[in-house]
Amino acid sequence: MTVPTFDDVLAAAGRISGVAHRTPVLRSRIVDDLVGARVFFKCENFQRAGVFKFRGAYNALVQLPQEQRRAGVVTSSSGNHAQALSLAARLLGIPATIVMPLDAPAVKVAATAGYGGDIVRYDRYAQDYAEIAHGLVAERGLTVIPPVEHPHVVAGQGTAAMELFEEVGELDALFVPVGGGGLFSGSVLSARAMAPDCRLHGVEPEAGDDGQRSLREGRRVTIDTPQTIADGAQTRFLDPLPFEILLRARPTMLTVTDDELVECMRLFAGYLKIVVEPTGCLGFAAVRRAADELRGQRVGVIISGGNVDLDRFAALVGT
Amino acid sequence: MTVPTFDDVLAAAGRISGVAHRTPVLRSRIVDDLVGARVFFKCENFQRAGVFKFRGAYNALVQLPQEQRRAGVVTSSSGNHAQALSLAARLLGIPATIVMPLDAPAVKVAATAGYGGDIVRYDRYAQDYAEIAHGLVAERGLTVIPPVEHPHVVAGQGTAAMELFEEVGELDALFVPVGGGGLFSGSVLSARAMAPDCRLHGVEPEAGDDGQRSLREGRRVTIDTPQTIADGAQTRFLDPLPFEILLRARPTMLTVTDDELVECMRLFAGYLKIVVEPTGCLGFAAVRRAADELRGQRVGVIISGGNVDLDRFAALVGT
């Protein structure tokens, strides 16, 4: 698999222009005072389908040749990638099949269906996802668009950080949520080209420190599915492609607790007036922990998404 | 009192440039589908101090001569104007005194103090506010900066609609919350100059239809303090200056219920991922009611602010 470069990010930016939202960068004087630094929040919770993943999904789909477009695409996801891919496919007139476990939350199944995805359910205790997907690929000639492990997906995700640097100039440090590593590795491509002195920090939930351990040990460490409210980072390992990019760039990997994520959800709602899903709080939670070292600096934070059930959100931010 | 014109709005835009936030305009495909129109949300909940009122407050303060600046300013408000004025005064090094009733919510007193305002408490059952303010004006030579009834305040508020038209071009209709009328009358100045064919709709809570009645009857109607969750629109009358502007422009005045405001808070949190205070939902609630007449049109909505207590917010949007 080809490792993408910043040129691929630039090309992706051209392809998604006018289709993906160019999301705003928000600031808050109160937050700056709290942290003691100047913090720039790139708000991908305002991205289409509520999450950065639309960037990568669209960039991958739009490059498919006609024949593959006609046959359609398939992916497995019970979360954000499913919604983003469904929406991107609909905009391009490509049939999208999403393989979802029978016990996926009804609200996510409904959202994915609402975006136009054709849903195939399976019993994850009795059936193997890979077998089902391979069956669909063989029978119907579908193309698999994975949530992370694809150079066009990673390049697309890099456009969020690219827009941030375009808008605010160089930064002393950048903090990015890490699940499978697509958003962070894409961000690294943009940062290395546009702000070579910017320190790069990937942030994981404490329970899911596979990325931190992988970079420390120089090999992809696999863990059990972590117990954390950051459902977008409940990944068991870094995907190979992001790992390759991160291994070269040698960023710092940090972790934060679920309690810190909830506190950030409250700060976001109270001071920035935005709804952020737990995974989207990873970057800011790490900034708060590292405040002493960031004093007076210009700090970028990527808020990855805002897809959180309203009742759950209310329960977490209320007291 | 001089009635401001669009030239005053333009001048205000120059004065607040780089100090007030140029707030983003957000869109949502799901919301567009729900309404059947293309809706552009001007997000003043992201304005400094969480509300559009910073625009007018700063525009008024920055035009004060040195002598008045040194002596300081005074206003009475337990709400958004107090916070906005305190912040604007602090940025300009002007002492600001805010007269607040003893039973004002502790959280608002704390927020106003946090923005640097000097708070004078009074017993509103035993003391008269006007007497206290006049006393401060007489004793200390303070200048009164009212929340609405001031040409520089109204001109400043008009910059929000001005930025909206600059960014999205002409609109078929514009929906704006109405309390004392400062935001709406300022918006009318911008709309009449920048989008002469745009239909103008001021929106009040059903319980507080003083504006609607005033324009219908051609005189300023005063009502009892209305019972509504839209605390920014719990006004008893339109102020004279906005009334003058609105009487000339003859916009449509609409009302919505508290239940409709709560439903909009949910839609904003769920689909736009933003926290909006009840008053800030007035415009969108009216758009939903008028959806049949807006089909296929380009519609602007000003979201006035996002200052709502988090617990209250959680209680309203959760189920």
Side-chain angles (χ1 to χ4, degrees):
Chain A
M1 187 147 290
T2 329
V3 176
T5 65
F6 182 58
D7 282 344
D8 297 308
V9 178
L10 288 174
R15 287 189 202 98
I16 68 171
S17 170
V19 185
H21 288 323
R22 192 182 170 99
T23 54
V25 176
L26 293 184
R27 302 195 52 194
S28 158
R29 190 194 59 86
I30 297 180
V31 167
D32 283 3
D33 288 351
L34 270 179
V35 175
R38 293 162 68 190
V39 190
F40 301 84
F41 295 99
K42 175 67 170 171
C43 292
E44 287 295 297
N45 52 330
F46 297 143
Q47 189 49 265
R48 294 186 79 161
V51 63
F52 72 94
K53 284 180 179 282
F54 180 79
R55 297 173 181 272
Y58 190 89
N59 187 50
L61 291 186
V62 77
Q63 294 183 68
L64 288 181
Q66 268 313 320
E67 199 181 331
Q68 277 174 281
R69 286 196 188 200
R70 256 194 307 272
V73 296
V74 60
T75 200
S76 80
S77 160
S78 57
N80 281 328
H81 176 61
Q83 295 177 47
L85 188 75
S86 298
L87 174 60
R90 181 160 100 169
L91 295 174
L92 291 164
I94 299 175
T97 301
I98 315 293
V99 182
M100 293 182 119
L102 280 170
D103 57 353
V107 58
K108 292 204 167 173
V109 178
T112 304
Y115 281 117
D118 179 21
I119 295 161
V120 171
R121 309 297 289 271
Y122 77 107
D123 179 351
R124 62 170 163 174
Y125 302 103
Q127 297 174 279
D128 180 38
Y129 155 68
E131 220 168 86
I132 294 172
H134 286 149
L136 290 165
V137 169
E139 283 166 36
R140 309 195 204 159
L142 304 188
T143 301
V144 178
I145 306 290
V148 176
E149 188 63 9
H150 190 303
H152 299 165
V153 170
V154 169
Q157 320 303 32
T159 57
M162 191 206 81
E163 290 174 6
L164 174 61
F165 287 115
E166 271 182 4
E167 186 158 339
V168 307
E170 293 226 4
L171 293 167
D172 297 303
L174 178 67
F175 291 76
V176 184
V178 178
L183 179 63
F184 188 40
S185 58
S187 302
V188 161
L189 296 177
S190 292
R192 282 290 179 254
M194 299 176 77
D197 296 332
C198 179
R199 299 189 306 281
L200 303 172
H201 304 282
V203 190
E204 296 172 298
E206 202 166 82
D209 63 346
D210 51 293
Q212 187 175 57
R213 287 166 60 183
S214 297
L215 283 182
R216 193 190 297 141
E217 299 181 23
R219 63 178 187 94
R220 291 174 55 233
V221 173
T222 297
I223 60 172
D224 290 338
T225 300
Q227 293 298 317
T228 167
I229 59 166
D231 54 323
Q234 277 188 310
T235 38
R236 299 179 51 224
F237 46 77
L238 287 177
D239 280 277
L241 195 52
F243 179 67
E244 185 74 23
I245 294 170
L246 298 180
L247 204 57
R248 293 183 200 171
R250 288 269 156 213
T252 312
M253 300 296 292
L254 306 169
T255 64
V256 297
T257 66
D258 280 7
D259 284 350
E260 290 175 299
L261 295 178
V262 171
E263 182 58 21
C264 286
M265 288 177 78
R266 290 208 185 99
L267 294 172
F268 278 136
Y271 294 133
L272 275 107
K273 318 295 181 193
I274 58 177
V275 174
V276 181
E277 64 183 86
T279 310
C281 295
L282 284 165
F284 183 41
V287 165
R288 296 187 70 218
R289 248 198 210 196
D292 282 350
E293 300 142 47
L294 298 171
R295 200 151 295 282
Q297 301 189 358
R298 289 164 52 84
V299 179
V301 171
I302 298 186
I303 293 172
S304 53
N307 291 332
V308 51
D309 180 78
L310 263 196
D311 287 341
R312 186 167 163 68
F313 178 76
L316 289 171
V317 303
T319 51
Chain B
M1 187 147 289
T2 328
V3 177
T5 66
F6 181 58
D7 282 345
D8 297 308
V9 178
L10 288 174
R15 289 189 201 99
I16 68 171
S17 171
V19 184
H21 289 321
R22 192 181 171 98
T23 54
V25 176
L26 293 185
R27 301 194 54 192
S28 157
R29 189 193 60 87
I30 297 180
V31 167
D32 283 3
D33 287 352
L34 270 180
V35 176
R38 293 161 69 191
V39 190
F40 301 84
F41 294 100
K42 176 68 172 170
C43 292
E44 287 296 295
N45 53 328
F46 298 144
Q47 188 49 265
R48 295 186 78 161
V51 63
F52 71 93
K53 284 179 178 284
F54 180 79
R55 297 173 181 270
Y58 190 88
N59 188 49
L61 291 185
V62 77
Q63 294 184 67
L64 288 180
Q66 268 313 320
E67 199 180 332
Q68 278 174 282
R69 287 195 189 201
R70 256 195 306 274
V73 295
V74 61
T75 201
S76 81
S77 160
S78 56
N80 281 327
H81 176 61
Q83 295 177 46
L85 188 76
S86 298
L87 174 60
R90 181 160 100 171
L91 295 174
L92 291 164
I94 299 175
T97 303
I98 315 292
V99 183
M100 292 181 119
L102 280 171
D103 57 354
V107 58
K108 293 203 166 175
V109 178
T112 304
Y115 281 116
D118 179 20
I119 294 160
V120 172
R121 311 296 291 268
Y122 77 108
D123 180 350
R124 61 171 163 173
Y125 303 103
Q127 296 174 282
D128 179 39
Y129 155 68
E131 219 167 86
I132 293 172
H134 287 149
L136 289 165
V137 170
E139 281 165 37
R140 307 195 206 159
L142 304 188
T143 300
V144 178
I145 306 289
V148 176
E149 188 62 10
H150 191 303
H152 299 166
V153 170
V154 169
Q157 319 305 33
T159 57
M162 191 206 82
E163 290 174 5
L164 173 62
F165 288 115
E166 272 181 4
E167 187 158 338
V168 307
E170 294 226 5
L171 293 167
D172 296 304
L174 178 67
F175 290 77
V176 185
V178 177
L183 178 64
F184 188 40
S185 59
S187 301
V188 161
L189 296 177
S190 293
R192 281 290 179 255
M194 299 175 77
D197 295 331
C198 179
R199 298 188 307 280
L200 302 172
H201 304 281
V203 190
E204 297 172 297
E206 202 166 80
D209 62 346
D210 52 294
Q212 188 175 55
R213 289 166 58 185
S214 298
L215 284 184
R216 192 189 299 141
E217 301 182 21
R219 64 180 185 92
R220 291 174 56 234
V221 173
T222 298
I223 60 172
D224 290 338
T225 300
Q227 294 298 316
T228 168
I229 58 166
D231 54 324
Q234 277 189 309
T235 39
R236 299 180 51 224
F237 46 76
L238 286 177
D239 279 276
L241 194 51
F243 179 68
E244 185 76 21
I245 295 170
L246 298 180
L247 205 57
R248 291 182 201 171
R250 287 270 155 211
T252 312
M253 300 296 292
L254 306 169
T255 64
V256 296
T257 66
D258 280 7
D259 284 349
E260 290 174 300
L261 296 178
V262 171
E263 182 57 22
C264 286
M265 289 177 78
R266 290 209 185 97
L267 293 172
F268 278 137
Y271 294 132
L272 275 107
K273 318 296 180 193
I274 58 178
V275 174
V276 180
E277 64 183 86
T279 310
C281 295
L282 284 165
F284 184 41
V287 165
R288 295 187 70 218
R289 248 199 209 195
D292 281 349
E293 299 141 47
L294 298 170
R295 200 150 297 281
Q297 300 190 358
R298 289 165 50 85
V299 178
V301 170
I302 298 187
I303 292 172
S304 52
N307 291 332
V308 51
D309 179 79
L310 262 197
D311 287 340
R312 185 166 164 67
F313 178 75
L316 288 172
V317 304
T319 51

